Every structure is written in structure tokens, then in C-alpha cells.
Amino acid sequence: MDLFPEFSTIFAKQAITALTPIQAATVQLLLDGESIVGLARTGTGKTLAYSLPLLKRVEPGKANSLVIFEPTTELAVQVRDAIKDYVAELGLKVIALVGSGNRVRQIEVLKKKHPEVLIVTPGRFFDMVSENRIHHEQIKQLVIDEADDILESTKLELIASLGQNIPSTSQIALFGATESAITRDAEQIFARPFLMIDVRDQDVSQVKHLFLQVDNRHKLEMFTKLTKVDHFSAMIFFNAVKQLEYFAGVLSHTKVSFDALSNATNKQASKGALKRLAKREIKTLLTTDLAARGLDVFDLLYVVNYELPADKNTYVHRAGRTGRMGKKGTVITLGTDHDLRNLKKMLGAEYEIKRVYFSGRELTTDKPAQAEVPQEQEVNGGQNSTAVTGTSHQQEPPAHVNERSKKLERAKRKKRQKKQKNKGYHPLKDKKQKKEAARNEQ
């Protein structure tokens, strides 16, 4: 931390005592003005890895000098909040330019306060550039955070055009958790040399990756059981908003406390939901991948994949919501045997997926012992073998199966009686006639 004596008070306040691997590998290079590609697992301190050295290179009073791209509004606001103390310590100004923000107010801030640091989402940034609110030549440092996901919100051609239109002396930093088209072809896209820094193998993860077998029909029941595990606090991921909304509707009829976060959720509601989860006021936050991309929830213990992620990159980012900065965490994926095979194939040897089982209010990877079934005894010298156990050891069918059988039997009986009635037979009349005949005989 000797490279940043001006931030010592903030480090002490935030209990930061040492650099993480990605910070140690990139800080000096960025201070020296190098353009780099930095790859590290999620939750390992990438935000400070690029922001601390680049903030030191910003000249006060030079508007729009440092531009940081984020794929979502939530992540842009989160990064702004994470670096604002460091910005203030250097006498700089920062603004988050996001699509859900007040556009008129943002323009006023750009015009009157001339902030040196801009944290932007692609749509709003290119909107401001097209209106000449921001000029390419002003940008001295450009960061594309979550570079492996930025193409979900903007086209590669736009990013390439930006990189080639800013001054050739400008510094560019690309950071992500996985490789992508941007990080692989950075030199061709941005027309300048890059240094590749990959510390993913150096990051020691404390996250366990588990699989809980369950079919679609019983997922709600299994998830409700999960929420009763000691100290349960989780983000549960869905592949589509429609599925999330359906599950939220069903879950609302249970006693599980939860909030839902989707693309339609406004900024204030999102912030409130994250705060309630962090304070353990709710046990679960239902979310989609885009809505939760890069979000940092303090000490989140579990991530639950309600459905199998679409690809490895999606799994990596979901898993990155827990076990951040070297802390312990658990990722649980719900699905069938077929899903487990697909998940292992998707992730390869990088992740060890273990089956998990319930043991009271805890989870265990030790498979429960099968109940011992009494051995059958043979009679008649082994011919025509018969089980002689004194009592029947056949497993009683579940209650819902019994009830279904009773309903079917009642329906069959009514159908039979209706058929007999059409032939001139009536069960009640026949019963009365038999009673009268018995009395007459007496």
C-alpha cells in the first residue's frame, strides 16, 4: 500500500491492509501509463486495481479525463460509491452517467461542474458524445470494466470506434473475469499494444460448488427447505424475467421473506432490496443475470441457480456474488441428473461440483445411508419363496398418492352407478328393497 500514501486514512477505515493478486500485478503498470488487459476472478478487487492508479494520473480541472464503462446502471452506481472517497481525497469530481438517471440534470453537471471522472453505461455515453457533451480528445484514460459482458449492452463496432477515436496516447484498461472478443483481440480493436495480466490461477477461492438433485415439479418445495438452513442468505438466479415473476408469485404464498430484482426494477428499489439482503432483513433476493451483474452484496453466503446457466461465463458471474475478497461462499445448482452432466461438461475441470444433501438444518456432501431393509426368509426349501417378516415392510405411499387414488376410485364408482341407473337399477332403491324383503321374511 506504499504506492498510495494519500489514501492511508481511507484504507484504515475500510480495513484494507494489502493488495490482492490482481491489484499487485496491475497497479504499477497502470501508474506507468501502460494499456493492459486484466483478468481475475469476480470479487477479487478489480475495481480498486484500476481506479486507484488511474485516479492518481488524472489532472484536476481536466473534464472527462477518466471514463469508466460499466454494463449496467446498478454496477455503475456501485462503482461510483466504491471510489467516491478516493476521488474526493484527490480533489476530483465524479458523476455516474446512466440511462435511468435524469438526463437534464446530468447535462447540467457536465456543463457546470466539469467532472474529471465519468462512470458510464454505453447507451448514455454515446448519447452524450453524439450531442458533443463529451469529446473524444478529452479522454486520457478509458476503462472497460466487465469487458466480457459489455457486448451484451453495446455493439463491438461502437467500442472499437471509441478506442480508435480517442488520442493514440490515451491509456486503455480492460478488466474482466473471463476472456471475450474484446480482451482476445484488444490490440486490433483499439489499435495500440496491450499487456496481458491473468491472475485467475492465483486467486484462492473459498467457494464451494454444489448440486442439489430435484425435478422441476418439486423445486419450490426444495428451495423452501433450503431457506431453513442455518444462516441462509442467498441470491437465486433465473434465466428469464417471466420465470422469476412466476416463482415470486408462488413464493409469496409461503413464509419465505424475499425481494425481486429485474431489469424493470428502478434504481431506488434495487438499492433498497440489496440493503435489506445485506442486513438479513430478507433471506432471498430473486434476480436475473443482467440485473445482478457485478453487484456486491456484503457477506452473501449462498448463490442458488434455480435453472442451469446458459454458459460458463454466466455461471462464473453468478458464482462471483458470493465468496468475495477471499471469504467463504456456496453456489448451489438445482436440477436433475441430466442437468448435472450438462453442468460438468460446461464447466470442465476448473470447478469441482459435488452433490449435496440435507442433514437436519444443515447441508452435507456425505450421502445419507440407505435405510436397512429386512432380509426375506425362504420357506418350502427355497421353492415358491415367501417373505416371512411378521409385519409388512412395504413403504407406505405418500399422502398425495393415497388421496389421488381415493379420488379416482370415487370417480369410477359414480360412473358405475350412473351406468347401472340407466339400466333401471338404482343403488339406493335396491338397498331399501332388500331391507323390506328381509323384514317380510321375519
Side-chain angles (χ1 to χ4, degrees):
M1 312 307 289
D2 296 338
L3 292 171
F4 305 103
E6 58 271 79
F7 298 143
S8 58
T9 303
I10 304 173
F11 290 153
K13 183 180 177 182
Q14 298 180 355
I16 298 173
T17 57
L19 298 175
T20 65
I22 186 62
Q23 293 166 358
T26 59
V27 160
Q28 188 60 60
L29 293 173
L30 291 173
L31 283 172
D32 293 342
E34 298 285 356
S35 290
I36 70 167
V37 173
L39 299 179
R41 293 179 185 272
T42 55
T44 54
K46 290 192 292 293
T47 301
L48 293 187
Y50 63 72
S51 62
L52 296 186
L54 294 183
L55 284 172
K56 282 194 68 168
R57 287 176 55 80
V58 173
E59 185 179 342
K62 295 289 185 179
N64 311 332
S65 294
L66 171 58
V67 176
I68 302 172
F69 269 73
E70 299 294 345
T72 66
T73 294
E74 290 78 13
L75 192 51
V77 172
Q78 180 178 292
V79 170
R80 180 201 62 192
D81 292 343
I83 70 171
K84 63 183 180 182
D85 289 344
Y86 301 98
V87 171
E89 187 68 31
L90 294 173
L92 304 174
K93 299 176 289 297
V94 61
I95 182 177
L97 297 177
V98 297
S100 62
N102 186 307
R103 189 172 180 279
V104 174
R105 192 177 302 159
Q106 290 172 357
I107 291 173
E108 283 297 308
V109 171
L110 288 175
K111 188 186 297 183
K112 294 181 179 179
K113 295 189 176 181
H114 308 290
E116 297 90 349
V117 183
L118 310 181
I119 303 172
V120 304
T121 52
R124 183 51 53 91
F125 173 81
F126 288 114
D127 175 36
M128 295 294 185
V129 169
S130 67
E131 293 186 359
N132 292 319
R133 309 286 181 185
I134 301 171
H135 302 282
H136 289 121
E137 60 271 16
Q138 293 176 313
I139 302 173
K140 301 298 184 287
Q141 290 93 25
L142 172 66
V143 177
I144 300 182
D145 194 13
E146 304 289 347
D148 43 349
D149 293 315
I150 203 72
L151 294 183
E152 292 183 12
S153 54
T154 192
K155 293 181 179 180
L156 180 59
E157 291 79 10
L158 279 174
I159 297 292
S161 173
L162 170 64
Q164 292 170 10
N165 282 320
I166 63 176
S168 59
T169 54
S170 295
Q171 183 179 12
I172 301 177
L174 312 176
F175 278 78
T178 58
E179 287 187 281
S180 63
I182 291 181
T183 57
R184 281 193 302 269
D185 304 323
E187 294 192 347
Q188 289 74 30
I189 293 171
F190 298 106
R192 68 200 68 208
F194 280 81
L195 295 175
M196 169 65 79
I197 308 297
D198 187 350
V199 299
R200 288 174 293 178
D201 292 340
Q202 299 177 34
D203 296 324
V204 180
S205 175
Q206 297 288 328
V207 176
K208 294 183 290 186
H209 300 267
L210 307 176
F211 188 87
L212 187 57
Q213 186 173 334
V214 59
D215 57 32
N216 286 330
R217 191 173 162 197
H218 296 95
K219 276 187 178 178
L220 175 63
E221 178 185 341
M222 191 64 73
F223 178 73
T224 304
K225 193 173 181 181
L226 261 180
T227 63
K228 296 176 183 177
V229 169
D230 292 337
H231 311 298
F232 187 81
S233 170
M235 293 180 79
I236 177 167
F237 282 88
F238 296 85
N239 293 340
V241 175
K242 188 176 180 180
Q243 182 67 24
L244 181 153
E245 291 173 343
Y246 172 78
F247 186 82
V250 176
L251 196 62
S252 64
H253 296 290
T254 70
K255 295 181 180 180
V256 179
S257 56
F258 73 95
D259 272 332
L261 182 64
S262 70
N263 301 340
T265 310
N266 64 49
K267 187 166 62 176
Q268 287 302 113
S270 298
K271 196 171 181 178
L274 291 170
K275 187 178 291 186
R276 285 189 290 276
L277 183 63
K279 290 183 176 181
R280 303 294 191 267
E281 294 174 3
I282 56 173
K283 282 196 168 188
T284 302
L285 182 63
L286 314 183
T287 187
T288 58
D289 295 298
L290 187 58
R293 184 72 77 199
L295 293 182
D296 189 359
V297 180
F298 181 74
D299 281 351
L300 184 70
L301 298 178
Y302 292 90
V303 162
V304 178
N305 292 315
Y306 184 81
E307 303 165 283
L308 208 62
D311 50 43
K312 182 178 178 179
N313 183 41
T314 302
Y315 184 93
V316 168
H317 281 280
R318 289 182 181 185
R321 300 312 102 218
T322 185
R324 297 178 74 81
M325 298 301 291
K327 295 180 181 177
K328 293 182 178 180
T330 302
V331 181
I332 301 174
T333 301
L334 307 182
T336 62
D337 269 335
H338 182 68
D339 292 326
L340 177 57
R341 288 194 295 272
N342 286 341
L343 182 63
K344 287 183 175 180
K345 185 178 179 181
M346 177 197 301
L347 301 180
E350 188 175 345
Y351 296 91
E352 182 184 7
I353 309 295
K354 293 184 177 181
R355 287 182 181 270
V356 68
Y357 309 90
F358 285 102
S359 176
R361 293 171 67 92
E362 295 181 352
L363 295 172
T364 178
T365 54
D366 297 326
K367 189 175 182 179
Q370 295 290 331
E372 188 175 341
V373 179
Q375 295 294 320
E376 293 183 344
Q377 299 177 10
E378 294 186 351
V379 295
N380 298 332
Q383 297 181 9
N384 300 323
S385 298
T386 308
V388 182
T389 57
T391 59
S392 172
H393 288 277
Q394 290 185 342
Q395 187 178 3
E396 196 68 27
H400 69 276
V401 175
N402 274 334
E403 185 61 31
R404 196 181 304 121
S405 299
K406 289 177 182 178
K407 286 182 179 180
L408 287 171
E409 187 57 40
R410 284 197 295 269
K412 287 179 181 178
R413 188 165 58 248
K414 286 182 180 179
K415 189 174 180 180
R416 192 165 53 246
Q417 289 175 352
K418 185 177 180 180
K419 190 174 181 181
Q420 290 171 334
K421 183 178 177 181
N422 291 338
K423 292 181 178 180
Y425 166 80
H426 194 286
L428 294 177
K429 288 181 180 179
D430 185 63
K431 193 174 182 180
K432 289 179 182 178
Q433 289 170 358
K434 285 182 179 180
K435 285 183 179 180
E436 288 177 4
R439 282 198 299 269
N440 291 336
E441 287 177 4
Q442 293 176 357

